[in-house]
Amino acid sequence: MKAFSRGPMALVLVTIGLGLNLRASVLLGPHLHERFGVTPGWHLALIGLPVLVAALVRSPVGVLTDRYGVRVMLPAVSLVAAASVIGLGLAGSLPAVVVAGAVAGTGSAAFVVGAALVARLFPYGRRGLVLGVFGLGVALALLLSLVSWSLDREGRLTALLLGGLLVAFAGVAAALIREPAPVGRGGSPIRECVTLIRLAATSSVTLLYVVALSGMVSIAVFLPVYLASALHFGWTHALAVTGSVVAAAAVARLAGGWWTDRHPTVRLLVVCYGIAAGLCVIVAVAPRFWPAIAGIAVCDGLAGGALLALIGKAAQPYSVGAVMGVTGAAGTLGALIPPLLLAGLHGLTHSYTAGWTLLAAVLLAAMLYVRTRDLRVGLGLAVGFRPGTSPTTTTVAVLAEPDTRLGAAAVVAGLAELATSDELVVVYGVDERPRPGLSAAGLVAGLRVRLPRHSVVAVPLHENPEMLGQDALLLVEHVDAGALTIAVAGTANRHRVAADLSIYLQADRVLTVSYDPAEGAELHPVGSGPPRS
């Protein structure tokens, strides 16, 4: 077999693997219903166990993916899933089925491993779209579920056959996947997990992703129970409706990723969270209008795809697995909250109205947060960088405010990474009249978040060129103190100011910073790049 490491074939392979592994992670459901006749309440509680296992394993699997590579970790995850589903098919008692089905939840970690490979292989400008295509593995899992459900209601034969397919896939993945050798295996995986968990817990992007992803997953878990208990659907009918809703959400996730490759994300998030909040109110007032739940799933899919694209674009090649793992773990863990909330409030009030109303309030709060904190959300996930060598190069980087309109996150990340190796002064061209881009204060704030150990200061320059020497003395003081300095100038004068400052600062080089939708943030010597106004 010919090995491959680039392009669509790699994407197809990992998407198939995701479908098989996700099918394994949800295989517990048919066994509970058809073999043991578990009541809807217990079904909801037990089906949450694979979700809990998935949340616990995603972060360490992501860290190990960065250390040992996709070629090792994707077969490893698939083999664990294969062993658990084979055990599920052979188990003869309810406790054994529950344990094997819960362990099968490890199969969902294939999303972390596959997303890491996709993010590494595809360029910045296509990353949102291809992550959305990769997410269509959910639709493949649903197709496999439909076929297996029609042929094997109890799921025994399905489990054994799926286990064999996963073993075969593990062998094919190990033989075909090629990728650059992992770098930087030193350090403790536990410490790395803790560091990234701390980052995820303090990032608004992660929390918004939790809201979106948990909505999608919890609908997949809760909707069949809701339709069967509240609306008296037959179980087969309830599962068919749920499958259609989840498939629509997966397609919407692809659309959200495509949007983020081409447009600012904040407006899309405001629309999605706002509409989803309104649909939750409709379901609370008119419980029988269940199609509104499908609308909620589509909105969550759009928002989740857009946020996943932001996360995938922010991560560096050496940390993308860990970043995907910790954010995915947070989202999966959050998926347990809405079903438990709805079920708990239903037990207290004998109605789902209070639960849907509370979910509407959460989504409305998310919408208002995005509207009021669009800068923080637009800057994406503030993933740190590995320190470079000791600063030996003084660099003047020239940037204009309009270049941050679409690519604020990429530009700030590029500057932050450059600042880990160079003494950096950024000449930021800002007009008096507000333009569609980051303000100087926004640029400083974004750099401070990404470089917590750096001092970042903004120095407004005088309009009078004769005062530039005085401004340069102040800049030299900040540079000598080790600060990353933002020199704020007029947009039209930024190149002249940068050239003069490079003489005063005795800079080693002057770079122009620009944003290209296909390649992300670009750094090139002044005069060698595309002309700028």
Side-chain angles (χ1 to χ4, degrees), residues 407-449:
V411 169
V412 173
L415 290 173
E417 187 169 23
L418 183 61
T420 63
S421 59
D422 290 18
E423 290 181 334
L424 180 62
V425 174
V426 180
V427 177
Y428 192 34
V430 178
D431 291 330
E432 292 184 5
R433 179 179 296 179
R435 297 284 296 273
L438 279 179
S439 65
L443 178 61
V444 171
L447 289 169
R448 283 176 177 166
V449 172

Side-chain angles (χ1 to χ4, degrees), residues 11-21 137 140 144 169:
L11 178 60
V12 169
L13 179 67
V14 294
T15 303
I16 292 173
L18 177 63
L20 293 173
N21 278 281
L140 176 59
L144 294 173
F169 171 78

